[in-house]
């Protein structure tokens, strides 16, 4: 499809966010507001979605989640697969960020585990980046998809700080602002974040031929 066709399709049919993470859904809805695209959550359509994230990379997992939601609903579906990659840990936890430390930990416990795994890593070796892959599928099995990817660079702090955001935000120091993502206002995080950057690429693509 051409960008114009994608824009018309999304504005007419809406976009289902294939995520069970309420924080992500809030961010995606916020970033996509103002473009006349109706954005739905799974609960709005009474859809239950549990997708095994078995792909080797972020794009593959985003594709699995978008395809499942698109096939179940018939609606255009967007999935975000994201995570934090730490240089000193050879890119871990990466695609396994949501399951880092085991399936029973909550966000706070995963952050504590990361700090403890990195306790001996000195300040100048704590580089890290958030990655986000966004996939949109409009028609089941059509083979036509949109994929946008972005990273936000920074480093892992030595302690937990800040009350905004979610997940690993309290230990991620954004390289540009010098602040944790958890210390930024919502609009500032969207400006800097992996998710904000990937979704702005989507918006630019949709409007490039209009
Ligand atoms: P869905 O798959 O249902 O969308 P999820 O939370 O399992 O929800 P992922 O599999 O993509 O999503 O895992 C993302 C992980 O990376 C998860 O642990 C998040 O807390 C973390 N993460 C992603 N984006 C983040 C952000 O902007 N700030 C902090 N942590 C983030």
């Amino acid at each position: 499809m051409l960008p114009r066709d994608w824009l018309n399709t999304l504005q007419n049919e809406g976009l289902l966010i294939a995520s069970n993470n309420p924080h992500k859904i809030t961010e995606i809805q916020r970033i996509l507001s103002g473009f006349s695209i109706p954005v739905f959550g799974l609960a709005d359509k009474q859809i239950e979605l549990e997708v095994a994230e078995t792909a080797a990379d972020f794009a593959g997992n985003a594709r699995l989640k978008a395809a499942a939601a698109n096939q179940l609903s018939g609606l255009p579906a967007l999935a975000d697969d994201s995570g934090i990659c730490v240089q000193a840990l050879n890119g871990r936890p990466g695609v396994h960020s949501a399951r880092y430390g085991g399936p029973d930990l909550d966000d706070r416990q995963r952050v504590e585990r990361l700090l403890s795994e990195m306790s001996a890593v000195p300040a100048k070796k704590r580089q890290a980046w958030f990655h986000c892959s966004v996939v949109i599928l409009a028609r089941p099995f059509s083979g036509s998809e949109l994929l946008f990817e972005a990273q936000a660079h920074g480093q892992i702090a030595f302690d937990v700080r800040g009350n905004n955001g979610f997940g690993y935000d309290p230990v991620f120091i954004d390289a540009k602002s010098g602040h944790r993502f958890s210390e930024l206002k919502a609009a500032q995080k969207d400006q800097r974040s992996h998710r904000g950057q990937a979704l702005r690429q989507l918006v630019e693509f949709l409007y490039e031929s209009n």
Side-chain angles (χ1 to χ4, degrees), residues 6-15 28-40 203 206-207:
W6 277 101
L7 182 61
N8 288 339
T9 302
L10 300 185
Q11 287 184 332
N12 292 334
E13 298 177 28
L15 188 55
I28 294 168
Q29 285 180 320
R30 194 166 71 209
I31 296 163
L32 292 183
S33 65
F35 298 104
S36 305
I37 298 172
V39 175
F40 312 113
V203 169
L206 293 175
Y207 282 87

Side-chain angles (χ1 to χ4, degrees), residues 94-147:
V95 283
H96 302 296
S97 293
R99 289 153 279 163
Y100 176 59
D104 299 327
L105 302 195
D106 60 20
D107 275 0
R108 177 73 191 215
Q109 291 168 319
R110 276 189 283 274
V111 159
E112 292 294 348
R113 179 172 171 117
L114 181 61
L115 289 180
S116 113
E117 192 176 355
M118 292 187 64
S119 58
V121 179
K124 58 177 190 272
K125 294 198 170 156
R126 296 178 76 90
Q127 293 89 343
W129 62 98
F130 274 116
H131 177 101
C132 177
S133 293
V134 166
V135 168
I136 299 185
L137 297 171
R139 304 277 172 257
F141 310 110
S142 73
S144 171
E145 71 168 29
L146 297 180
L147 166 65

Side-chain angles (χ1 to χ4, degrees), residues 6-7 23 30 48 53 60 65 79 82 86-87 94 105 109 127 147 152 158 162 177 200 203 208:
W6 277 101
L7 182 61
H23 303 285
R30 194 166 71 209
E48 284 188 24
E53 299 188 16
K65 293 186 273 191
S82 45
V86 179
Q87 194 155 306
L105 302 195
Q109 291 168 319
Q127 293 89 343
L147 166 65
F158 286 92
S177 67
R200 278 195 298 281
V203 169
E208 79 187 16

Side-chain angles (χ1 to χ4, degrees), residues 160-208:
V160 171
R161 202 182 292 171
N163 296 316
N164 301 333
F166 68 100
Y168 297 90
D169 285 346
V171 290
F172 181 78
I173 304 172
D174 167 41
K176 195 162 178 195
S177 67
H179 293 293
R180 318 270 173 115
F181 271 1
S182 56
E183 296 173 315
L184 299 181
K185 295 200 172 87
Q188 292 172 316
K189 180 183 172 186
D190 294 345
Q191 198 54 42
R192 295 286 312 132
S193 81
H194 45 311
R195 184 164 298 105
Q197 294 181 60
L199 292 173
R200 278 195 298 281
Q201 290 178 41
L202 160 68
V203 169
E204 278 165 29
F205 169 84
L206 293 175
Y207 282 87
E208 79 187 16

